[in-house]
Amino acid sequence: MEIIMAFVCGFLFMAAIYLILSRSLLRIIIGTGLLSHGAHLLIITMGGFGGNNPPVLADGVTEYVDPLPQALILTAIVISFGVTAFFLVLAYRSYQELKTDDMTQMKGSEDHE
Amino acid sequence: MLQILCLFIPIIAAFFMPFFFKKIRNVHTGWFVLLVPLFLVIYYTTFIPVISKGETIIEQLNWIPSLGISFVSYIDGLSLLFSLLISGIGALVVLYSIFYLNRKKEQLHNFYIYLLIFMSAMLGVVQSDNMITLYLFWELTSISSFLLIGYWFNRDKSRFGALKSMMITVAGGMLMLGGFVLLSLMGGTFSIRALIEQAPQLATNDLFIIALILILLGAFTKSAQFPFYIWLPDAMEAPTPVSAYLHSATMVKAGIYLVARFTPVFALSEAWIWLVAGIGLLTLFWGSFFALKQTDLKGILAFSTVSQLGLIMSLLGVSAIAYHVDGAEDTVFKYAAFAAIFHLINHATFKGSLFMIAGIVDHETGTRDIRKLGGLMSLMPVSFTVALIGSFSMAGLPPFNGFLSKEMFLTAMLSVTEFDLFNFSTWAPLFPIVAWIASVFTFIYSFYFVFKTFTGKLNVDQLPTKPHEAPIGMLISPVILAGLVVTIFFIPNIVTDTFVKPAVVAIQPFLYTSPNDVNIHVSAWHGPTPELFMTIGIVIVGLLLFLTLSKWQKLYSILPERFTLNRLYDITINELLGSWMTRFSKLYMTGSIRKYLGYMFTAIPLIVIGTLIVKNAFSVTFEGSSPIHLYAVILIVVLVIGTLTTVFARSRITSIIALGSVGYTVSLFFVIFNAPDLALTQLVIETISVALFLMAFYHLPKFSKVEERTRFKFGRAFISIAVGVMVTLVALSSHSQKFIESISNYYKETVYTEAGGGNIVNVILVDYRGFDTLFEIAVLAIAGISIFAMIKLRLSRKEKNYESK
């Protein structure tokens, strides 16, 4: 299972980078969304899928899933959500101000060298 | 304490100059400045009796004791001679400047502050025994020289000259610092005296030769040796007192001082002799040859200074030979160091006076162009006399002091032919020949300087102002110096016993222990020796060539300007460092973020995959993997389809919804991977995210239809594949090689007993690792506040521009 998930993570990263390198700002944000999904899946995969029970104490269960990666991912999800939300509003505002979402046109002016 | 304090007296005095300038308007500020060098002259004169006995005086003020850095005032023959030159000529120059600079028109406080800083710095250079403080003062001379050259900062040429001299001397200073550091690493001390004692051991070190070259580069750039002399002619844009002081008598001799001071350390090396003597001789010839091309009075003097510095430098190089000859105190090699110091004194006297005369001519006629000048002899008799004395001394004619040192110079150069170590027998005959030719040119340009200015036809119409004799005050300094030129000729041995011999002991401590051991007697008439015939030859050939000068001076214009060293400097500074570097930077700094991201995502896989290959770190094992779940396979298919849709969707709504499907799939993954809290959070967050995307959707534009350039498309695909491959490889390798157990067992075992909870993930979040949670809350808060601020705070562009003004 872990081996397959490693390929899935790689695939998600690939798609994310492909989007991040595009011209449209919205595509870039979607790309970062995919990137965070890939990273989260990577963390849980690296923790291993051994143990058959969720990490909640229950009678007669000894084999829990590793809880630490889950705690880390939970933190990461919230943070990436915050950043995505911020980034999205930033894109919205910059489109309002600059009238473009084309990254090739968003260059610093020549005077600021 | 006074001895150390004296180093800083000029700088301390500099603090008061603005006060004197602003408050006491009807007295020239220079009169107050004059007190400083006068005091120093008197103070340093009191050292003469002690020093001429061969004793040394040292005083130390700790600066950074833990690093062994301290201000040291070490006075021996060499540093006393330089200190007296600095303060003595400093006094004369200040006196001259009082009449040269107009009290009402010039910013005098600036001028004198720079000059006083320079004086301190120069005293520090020649008295420091600690190499770090020596370097400190060394750079201070560069900086104050920069300020002085650029004194008339509204002139383009001044700024150019100042910058050029700064660039070259500071570059040399930096290299010199490198040499100092290497020396201190080898010897374990910053003290030059301690290094001299270790000289034989140092010479065997591998770093020795590098330190030698670096220190020589420092000395050569400062002393305007070939090919670094190019800054000196441009430094002539400085006020004439500055040229007279810095660029003839003192600062350019800092390099000479450095070479003399380090001769005991480096003289054992063959490279030292070849470099110092060879470069010195080349500079001597080059400077004297090109002095005749100049049409500016100060230009001639600048090239003459370059040439004379080369002469002194070559003598110092030859003096190092004495270290390789047994019983050198009885051979002719002993003359070199002596001649170097003697000529240094003589040069300071006659060149100082000549610069002042050039300044007077400039001041009284309004031009320094030798083609416009002529026939000033009858109008300016005193200046003419001084110029004549200075020039004849420079040309090496009796009865002036230049004659004596020139004779000794020829003796020293002839002595090289007798030296047969280090392949000298092959090249040594060149030394006296080049020296002789250079002396002929020296003779010609000395005559050229004085006779083209003061004799011939007087063209009053061509001159900007009507020429007349300078005021007496302006003439005092050059007359004193010219008086010294003559006096030294008649009483050379008093001068040499007092100043030269102690300095020679400092240069050659292995040869002599006290000044009395230096058994050299200077005499104007030394018998019919080869040197005398060489001098006669110089005079005859020089006179002939001078009289026919107008016929062959045109030869100089054959060499096009393109092949000069100045052109090389301009190319380096303006084109290489200026436009080429800018062009190079613009090549990759395009301002497009996609390019930059491209660089990053190319570099990261390259480095990571490269490391995997080099370290042979890649490995795959199915051992320890959990079994494949059927649901998981289905989810993977859904995830892949969702991702591909996201990437290739034509419309943005499809893209966003596909992203949402990927998010929900991920939360389903969390379900089958036994992570209920994650699944919950992911579901909620994904819902909110999609809602956010849809809210922004209305405001954001449609995907542009503009097609990417194919080349970039391929590059982009390639880069993303590389990143994906990298992540997979790293994931596989790290999964396959686990070296330590997870620490999670601790959490599992203690979650109830220690923390009193049942949900391990939640207990980790709020109890074991509560800090993470605190700051993730902070991140959310900051994101919320910033979003609010971005939407609410709307300064229009115009307002922003207004504010930034």
Side-chain angles (χ1 to χ4, degrees), chain B residues 182-244:
Chain B
L182 285 180
L183 264 189
S184 72
L185 285 179
M186 283 185 274
T189 172
F190 285 122
S191 163
I192 299 171
R193 284 174 308 141
L195 284 170
I196 289 173
E197 280 161 23
Q198 302 179 26
Q201 297 95 285
L202 291 178
T204 58
N205 200 306
D206 294 338
L207 297 173
F208 183 71
I209 188 80
I210 303 172
L212 184 156
I213 289 170
L214 289 176
I215 289 180
L216 271 188
L217 279 171
F220 285 171
T221 46
K222 198 74 158 183
S223 277
Q225 297 295 296
F226 185 88
F228 307 111
Y229 70 88
I230 49 170
W231 65 267
L232 188 61
D234 284 309
M236 290 303 129
E237 290 305 319
T240 303
V242 173
S243 309

Side-chain angles (χ1 to χ4, degrees), chain A residues 1-24 26-30 33-35 37 40-42 44-57 62-79 81-93 95-98 100-104 106-108 110 113, chain B residues 586 590-594 597-598 601 620-622 625-629 632 636 639-640 643-644 646-647 649 652 655 659 662-663 666 669-670 673-678 681-682 685-686 688-689 692-693 696 699-701 703 706 708 712 716-717 719-721 723-724 727-728 731-732 734-735 738 742-744 747-748 751-752 757-761 764-765 769 776 780 783 786-787 790-791 793-794 797:
Chain A
M1 192 70 232
E2 283 90 344
I3 306 285
I4 296 176
M5 286 310 289
F7 282 97
V8 172
C9 294
F11 175 75
L12 278 172
F13 269 82
M14 184 178 80
I17 299 300
Y18 186 79
L19 282 172
I20 285 176
L21 288 175
S22 66
R23 290 172 70 154
S24 149
L26 186 62
R27 275 211 173 97
I28 293 178
I29 304 173
I30 293 173
L34 283 181
L35 194 70
H37 287 323
H40 300 157
L41 282 180
L42 189 62
I44 199 163
T45 309
M46 290 300 99
F49 300 130
N52 295 316
N53 292 84
V56 180
L57 285 191
T62 48
E63 287 291 300
Y64 298 109
V65 169
D66 195 339
L68 191 56
Q70 298 193 8
L72 296 181
I73 294 169
L74 205 55
T75 312
I77 287 174
V78 175
I79 290 174
F81 167 70
V83 173
T84 308
F86 175 78
F87 198 8
L88 206 57
V89 177
L90 186 66
Y92 156 63
R93 286 287 291 129
Y95 178 67
Q96 265 194 335
E97 289 286 332
L98 304 172
T100 179
D101 76 328
D102 188 346
M103 291 311 288
T104 51
M106 288 193 191
K107 282 185 181 179
E110 288 293 313
E113 278 180 7
Chain B
K586 281 198 171 159
T590 53
S592 149
I593 189 145
R594 299 205 307 162
L597 286 172
F601 291 131
V620 185
T621 169
F622 293 91
S625 299
S626 48
I628 296 168
H629 219 280
I636 287 168
L639 182 88
V640 169
T643 312
L644 288 176
T646 318
V647 173
R652 45 199 178 132
S655 212
L659 179 67
V662 173
V666 170
F669 267 116
F670 290 148
F673 292 153
N674 292 318
D677 301 291
L678 286 186
T681 318
Q682 179 68 35
I685 294 273
E686 197 57 39
I688 301 176
S689 293
L692 257 177
F693 270 106
H699 298 282
L700 285 173
F703 281 155
V706 186
E708 298 277 358
F712 192 78
R716 179 179 161 194
I719 291 171
S720 45
I721 289 170
V723 172
V727 171
T728 309
L732 289 175
S734 62
H735 168 67
K738 288 204 165 111
S742 167
I743 55 165
S744 299
Y747 296 132
K748 292 174 193 166
V751 66
Y752 192 71
N759 186 330
I760 309 179
V761 174
I764 290 177
L765 281 175
R769 300 174 60 88
E776 110 191 31
L780 265 193
S786 339
I787 288 169
M790 260 199 300
I791 292 173
L793 202 66
R794 294 192 179 203
R797 308 212 119 203

Side-chain angles (χ1 to χ4, degrees), chain B residues 405-599:
Chain B
S405 42
K406 178 93 47 159
E407 294 299 288
M408 301 187 86
F409 164 64
L410 294 173
T411 314
M413 286 299 146
L414 282 171
S415 74
V416 178
T417 50
E418 294 174 21
F419 186 57
D420 55 358
L421 271 178
F422 310 141
N423 298 325
F424 255 86
S425 45
T426 326
W427 297 101
L430 270 179
F431 278 68
I433 293 169
V434 175
W436 187 81
I437 298 173
S439 301
V440 171
F441 277 102
T442 308
F443 184 91
I444 304 170
Y445 75 65
S446 303
F447 273 51
Y448 173 63
F449 175 81
V450 67
F451 288 117
K452 291 284 173 195
T453 314
F454 289 99
T455 61
K457 252 196 338 209
L458 177 63
N459 267 327
V460 183
D461 309 335
Q462 278 196 334
L463 299 175
T465 50
K466 198 172 167 345
H468 53 82
E469 184 59 282
I472 293 178
M474 219 173 190
L475 285 168
I476 296 173
S477 298
V479 166
I480 290 176
L481 285 171
L484 279 174
V485 169
V486 182
T487 318
I488 292 176
F489 177 80
F490 288 108
I491 52 156
N493 289 304
I494 295 175
V495 177
T496 56
D497 287 346
T498 325
F499 299 113
V500 181
K501 287 182 180 178
V504 169
V505 175
I507 300 178
Q508 300 181 321
F510 297 110
L511 213 55
Y512 307 110
T513 46
S514 89
N516 294 328
D517 299 349
V518 188
N519 53 349
I520 299 172
H521 188 78
V522 189
S523 56
W525 173 249
H526 42 73
T529 50
E531 300 89 279
L532 188 70
F533 295 117
M534 282 172 87
T535 309
I536 293 170
I538 290 168
V539 174
I540 292 169
V541 178
L543 266 181
L544 281 175
L545 283 173
F546 174 68
L547 292 173
T548 54
L549 184 63
S550 52
K551 297 202 172 57
W552 58 274
Q553 204 180 17
K554 295 184 201 87
L555 285 176
Y556 282 105
S557 49
I558 291 176
L559 183 76
E561 197 63 24
R562 246 185 317 153
F563 296 114
T564 55
L565 287 163
N566 282 318
R567 178 76 187 134
L568 186 73
Y569 170 85
D570 290 341
I571 287 177
T572 317
I573 295 300
N574 295 333
E575 290 175 28
L576 192 71
L577 296 182
S579 58
W580 290 5
M581 286 296 175
T582 316
R583 242 178 283 163
F584 178 66
S585 299
K586 281 198 171 159
L587 213 64
Y588 63 93
M589 299 295 286
T590 53
S592 149
I593 189 145
R594 299 205 307 162
K595 278 267 169 61
Y596 302 156
L597 286 172
Y599 302 149

